[in-house]
Amino acid sequence: MPNATKPQAVVAAEVAPRRTPSSYPEPFASRMSGRVKRQLGDVFGLANFGANLT
């Protein structure tokens, strides 16, 4: 397989954070206001489930 791509090392904390905030209702939204969520499933090639770094 000369054309096979090698996987790249990825640091989970360096994945770009999610752009849209969570849609929690109050009073939960204010409690989650400083939270950053990074969706890791696509970056790590997961297909059957997701993984997040919050």
Side-chain angles (χ1 to χ4, degrees):
M1 273 193 237
N3 293 336
T5 59
K6 294 182 180 181
Q8 298 293 318
V10 177
V11 177
E14 294 176 0
V15 172
R18 188 168 105 175
R19 293 177 189 239
T20 57
S22 297
S23 58
Y24 286 110
E26 283 299 339
F28 307 109
S30 58
R31 296 173 86 185
M32 302 293 154
S33 63
R35 186 175 80 159
V36 176
K37 184 176 181 180
R38 300 175 194 283
Q39 296 173 302
L40 305 176
D42 291 340
V43 175
F44 289 103
L46 301 176
N48 295 327
F49 60 93
N52 299 303
L53 175 63
T54 304

